[in-house]
Amino acid sequence: MIRALALLPLAALTLGAKDDPLAGRVAGKPQQCIDLGMSDGPTIVDSHTILYRAGAGRRVWKTGPVGDCPWLRPLTTLIVHAYSGSQLCANDRFQVLEPGVSIPSANCRFTPFTPYDRITK
């Protein structure tokens, strides 16, 4: 079953040292799928980084496009084609919709999802 989800962009993030959304987090083993019901997002950071947040921000999932997806940039909208019901998986397709444009981009695919957890002291 194919489910297309239009996901609105969240605030654009800049990856400066102070504003790095992954600062203070440690990367875990990449996963093939994440549960969409347990995550917020996406947040498009740049042309190679998409973040989904889970568990009130305790975990951040980092993914990006397989290869080049030149349309991907902050403030664009993702149209996600999830093939696994309530899960979003590596190689699921997405399209990018630029503000003011009604025709989405060609298909891009997700890379595996790497979890980043807060470092506990």
Side-chain angles (χ1 to χ4, degrees):
M1 170 163 110
I2 298 174
R3 261 186 32 192
L5 304 169
L7 301 171
L8 298 176
L10 297 178
L13 297 175
T14 350
L15 281 179
K18 183 179 179 182
D19 298 324
D20 183 352
L22 302 177
R25 297 177 182 273
V26 62
K29 181 181 175 187
Q31 306 292 316
Q32 288 299 306
C33 299
I34 62 170
D35 185 357
L36 282 174
M38 301 294 288
S39 65
D40 295 332
T43 299
I44 302 168
V45 177
D46 56 35
S47 64
H48 301 289
T49 309
I50 302 168
L51 302 178
Y52 286 86
R53 297 183 192 286
R58 288 188 308 269
R59 175 169 281 178
V60 175
W61 295 94
K62 178 183 175 187
T63 187
V66 172
D68 193 30
C69 186
W71 311 277
L72 186 64
R73 60 182 152 269
L75 302 180
T76 55
T77 300
L78 291 187
I79 302 169
V80 176
H81 305 277
Y83 295 95
S84 303
S86 65
Q87 290 190 320
L88 184 59
C89 297
N91 290 314
D92 279 353
R93 295 178 304 134
F94 67 91
Q95 294 173 287
V96 179
L97 187 61
E98 295 184 39
V101 176
S102 59
I103 300 173
S105 71
N107 287 316
C108 298
R109 295 179 298 129
F110 288 105
T111 60
F113 296 83
T114 303
Y116 284 80
D117 292 312
R118 287 188 184 139
I119 299 171
T120 56
K121 297 179 182 183

